[in-house]
Amino acid sequence: MHPIQNVVLAALWAVTAWRLPAAVRDAKQRSAWIAFASMAAANTLAHPAVESPFNEVTGINNLATLTRNLIGILGFSAFVQFVVSVARPRAIRSSRRLLTVCGFVGAFGLVFLFAVTPRPRNVDNFFEAYTGRPLGTAYCCVFLGYVGVSTVIATCLFTGYSRHAEDAWLRAGLRLLGTGTAIGTLYTIFCAARMLTRLAHQPFVTNDHTAAAVAHIIQDTAIALIVVGSSIPACGVLRRTLGDRRTLRRLRPLWSALTDAVPDVILEAPVPRCSRIRLLRQIIEIHDAMLVLACYAPPQLHEQARSRAAQVLQNEEGRAALAQALWLRAACEAKHAGAQPSAHSVEERTAHPEHLAFDFAFEVACIQQLCDAYNSPTAEAFAREHRLEHA
């Protein structure tokens, strides 16, 4: 086996192991895991170190070929089911029934043709040895036909869905997956054309050795693109999760300061594991605390905060964030000191939770800017001066 094929096989098992926890947690991910596990198992059975002992132990000539082809049908059925669940979720029930029926028909056809094909001895390459004969060619055409139809369906669905994907990582992954399945279709066409010309005793465009090498290159390229394409969206999710965790740590000082002053805003529901939901919850609690603390900031405090921010910063956006941080920190000091809410407080314009769903990234950036301003020396000095004035 060529070193590149070993790399592809290792990548398939790596993706299979990587997707296993998600498959255990989420039923929607199980079809993808079955697809990759099937491809990994089928390619493992094609390895000479596994194929020969398997045939010898079972005592059935080239049983490894039939086994890996049956596993391949299972894998491609699961792969198409995964594609349908992503691109056409409403058709998942009807497609599952259709794929099950087609899978059983294809598997029965393979088993029947394998049984009636004379196999006097084990051969290194079943396709090469029997494609010049009608039964062997029919066997190979059944398998290639199933793979070809599956890859055509997957290519159409991936290509169509990629046009509507908003996330750049998902869009790139879908396009690579569509390219990989399209190359898989090319592989089936190439192999089928070669088998039919051999059956008709006509010369192919190149010799057998070169044709076999080209077929392996096309197959390995298709598998590699599918592996990479399926991993890119997950990498995007991982990148977003790490970014959300960094933001959670960055906003923690502001959240702690505000919720320490107004502990009632902390939601009673258990803290979720999802970093994005935790971040959204943290921002909502920050906004809730700001609404409460606005009652401890009289109009003159807002004027003082705006005046101090104008003296420190020239940038309008930064000045607004600093002014908000100044009165907010002074209001926290007043709340801790036991001050009573002001009847003439000014309600600052703040984003409400329903706004977060429309421009979450912008809201996070605003809260980060507020957090930096809240913990700045200017805000600390302003709060200290305000505390001394009311001492």
Side-chain angles (χ1 to χ4, degrees), residues 253-254 257-258 261 289-290 293-294 296-297 301-302 305 321-337 370-387:
L254 176 63
L258 299 187
M290 290 168 62
L293 291 170
Y296 295 84
L301 178 60
H302 285 267
L322 180 59
Q324 190 176 37
L326 293 179
W327 72 255
L328 193 59
R329 184 151 183 170
C332 283
E333 295 279 353
K335 177 72 166 56
H336 282 300
L370 176 62
C371 181
D372 294 340
Y374 186 92
N375 294 285
S376 66
T378 303
E380 182 180 358
F382 182 83
R384 184 170 58 252
E385 293 170 8
H386 187 267
R387 184 171 62 249

Side-chain angles (χ1 to χ4, degrees), residues 322-362:
L322 180 59
Q324 190 176 37
L326 293 179
W327 72 255
L328 193 59
R329 184 151 183 170
C332 283
E333 295 279 353
K335 177 72 166 56
H336 282 300
Q340 296 300 315
S342 173
H344 304 287
S345 62
V346 177
E347 183 179 354
E348 287 281 314
R349 184 178 63 85
T350 57
H352 294 281
E354 59 268 19
H355 170 71
L356 303 182
F358 294 98
D359 200 345
F360 185 75
F362 175 77

